[in-house]
Amino acid sequence: MSFGVTSYINRRSLLRGGAGLALFGASSALLAACGDDDTSPSSSASGGAKDFGALNYQLSWVKNVEFAGAYIADTKGYYTAAGFSTVNLMAGGPNVSQDAVVASGKALLGISSPDITAAAILKGAELVIVGAQYQKNPFCIMSLASAPINSPQEMIGKKIGVQATNEPVWNAFLKANNIDPSKVTKVPAQFDPSPLVSKEVDGWFSFFTNEPNLLKTKGVDTAVMLLNDHGYPMVSEVYVVKKSTLKDDRDKLKAAIIGDIKGWTDSVADPKVGANLAATKYGKDLGLDEAEQVLESTAQNTVVSTDDTKKNGLFTITDELIDETIKTLALGGTTITKEQLFDMSVLTEIYTENPTLKGTS
């Protein structure tokens, strides 16, 4: 029994430092081939005081609802209002390293993951993270609602389906919870969660936004245990830019992020908007199920808008969460300092200069 998990949700294969690092050395020809890129005038142009020209924005994956805020910002003219003449939302994919695209200067900013960016920085890339859309990492252990796994200790003695590309995260998660790997049966898996439905395994390694909602649309109820809530906290969907951008194109960067803040504020207010845009416009060629995209959008909003971001503003990262992210990276063997990886000064300036943007979602 297959649930037809399409390749667009298999992005966890790129969310490990090793995969991102391998792709970081891609040729300039590959970097130019960033998928089904759209260069379009942002509607409802308001003639911003500054003219920043085109906004080249590298996404971390194909154009599903994961980037709802950007779709809304483009459609509603928030980027144009901030000073951009056109918007180029550059699709990611298995042959695109978003960090390399940004480092090459082909995009002003990109969406990435701390482990991928940290690995690139440690290899000499002049990159830095300036914010995070997700305040929690989306990895989870999914189980059937009729036999839920609610804590790491409850995995002991059970079978968990784990994809090969996710084994570094799995191993670090076990380490974080002091669980002997021999106490849990790791079952090699792909990305179709049918073995969980057929009860061949007791748990399934996944994104909480993806497979649980896919199964929900098929009438299968699941339980979700976020790794983030059990010893593996880390921000995700981070904004990565060249360090030089902080000096040479700071106003341009701030304008782009302001557009995103407005777009994501709208997405949090109504998750159906971005889902519709993903299914009918930006990701139309992917054959997305709009109902499933609404479920994904609703789920991701829970980690986009949190008590901290309601207080400090969308995409901000608290000092505590930065420290936790650094420690979590170390569990997986990536040692880097917070000064090397993060610079939150851009968002601080944005919310100081535009206080009405704070606490609106």
Side-chain angles (χ1 to χ4, degrees):
M1 185 180 197
S2 173
F3 283 86
V5 183
T6 54
S7 61
Y8 82 86
I9 70 169
N10 297 346
R11 67 182 309 268
R12 289 170 304 290
S13 64
L14 293 186
L15 285 183
R16 299 311 313 140
L21 191 57
L23 286 172
F24 192 79
S27 68
S28 58
L30 176 61
L31 296 180
C34 296
D36 61 326
D37 304 348
D38 288 338
T39 302
S40 60
S42 191
S43 61
S44 302
S46 62
K50 294 185 178 180
D51 181 9
F52 293 120
L55 169 59
N56 293 316
Y57 186 160
Q58 179 63 57
L59 308 179
S60 58
W61 196 236
V62 297
K63 294 178 180 178
N64 60 9
V65 77
E66 190 171 325
F67 313 106
Y71 306 152
I72 295 171
D74 185 28
T75 300
K76 291 193 174 182
Y78 295 148
Y79 296 128
T80 297
F84 293 99
S85 57
T86 58
V87 179
N88 183 17
L89 298 179
M90 304 158 67
N95 296 318
V96 177
S97 171
Q98 60 270 21
D99 291 69
V101 173
V102 174
S104 72
K106 294 182 180 296
L108 174 70
L109 75 167
I111 302 298
S112 190
S113 179
D115 47 2
I116 294 178
T117 301
I121 290 171
L122 293 174
K123 289 288 290 184
E126 291 294 318
L127 298 172
V128 68
I129 292 170
V130 297
Q133 291 177 354
Y134 288 9
Q135 299 296 299
K136 293 184 177 182
N137 87 72
F139 283 112
C140 76
I141 301 299
M142 175 178 66
S143 53
L144 295 177
S146 58
I149 296 174
N150 297 314
S151 72
Q153 295 301 317
E154 291 180 18
M155 296 190 302
I156 294 175
K158 294 180 179 175
K159 298 178 180 179
I160 309 296
V162 181
Q163 303 79 15
T165 51
N166 289 328
E167 287 188 8
V169 177
W170 168 253
N171 293 331
F173 179 57
L174 294 181
K175 182 179 179 181
N177 288 279
N178 298 311
I179 295 177
D180 184 341
S182 68
K183 301 292 185 181
V184 184
T185 301
K186 181 185 67 179
V187 178
Q190 297 301 317
F191 291 92
D192 187 330
S194 299
L196 176 67
V197 180
S198 61
K199 300 183 180 180
E200 296 172 46
V201 296
D202 304 294
W204 195 261
F205 203 98
S206 72
F207 266 22
F208 87 102
T209 54
N210 291 159
E211 287 91 336
N213 289 314
L214 173 72
L215 293 184
K216 187 173 183 178
T217 63
K218 306 299 181 180
V220 179
D221 292 329
T222 61
V224 168
M225 177 182 69
L226 276 178
L227 273 60
N228 196 100
D229 296 339
H230 296 275
Y232 202 82
M234 183 167 64
V235 293
S236 189
E237 298 296 274
V238 295
Y239 289 95
V240 59
V241 303
K242 293 173 66 174
K243 284 187 176 180
S244 60
T245 296
L246 299 183
K247 178 181 178 181
D248 299 337
D249 286 305
R250 195 176 186 90
D251 286 346
K252 188 175 181 179
L253 174 61
K254 287 160 65 175
I257 294 177
I258 286 172
D260 264 25
I261 290 171
K262 293 179 178 179
W264 276 104
T265 296
D266 289 353
S267 182
V268 170
D270 185 355
K272 295 184 181 68
V273 177
N276 175 263
L277 289 172
T280 65
K281 182 179 179 182
Y282 294 90
K284 185 177 181 180
D285 60 332
L286 299 175
L288 303 173
D289 180 332
E290 186 170 343
E292 194 273 338
Q293 292 288 284
V294 171
L295 293 176
E296 285 198 29
S297 184
T298 301
Q300 74 181 357
N301 282 348
T302 66
V303 294
V304 171
S305 178
T306 65
D307 288 342
D308 285 333
T309 63
K310 288 175 182 176
K311 176 182 177 182
N312 303 316
L314 288 179
F315 316 147
T316 58
I317 313 172
T318 63
D319 291 340
E320 179 183 9
L321 188 47
I322 287 176
D323 289 339
E324 288 177 344
T325 297
I326 296 297
K327 290 178 181 178
T328 297
L329 290 174
L331 285 172
T334 300
T335 302
I336 192 169
T337 67
K338 59 184 178 182
E339 290 79 13
Q340 287 176 291
L341 190 57
F342 294 98
D343 186 323
M344 301 305 298
S345 63
V346 170
L347 275 170
T348 297
E349 287 182 17
I350 286 174
Y351 285 114
T352 298
E353 296 164 357
N354 305 273
T356 58
L357 292 177
K358 186 184 294 187
T360 56
S361 63

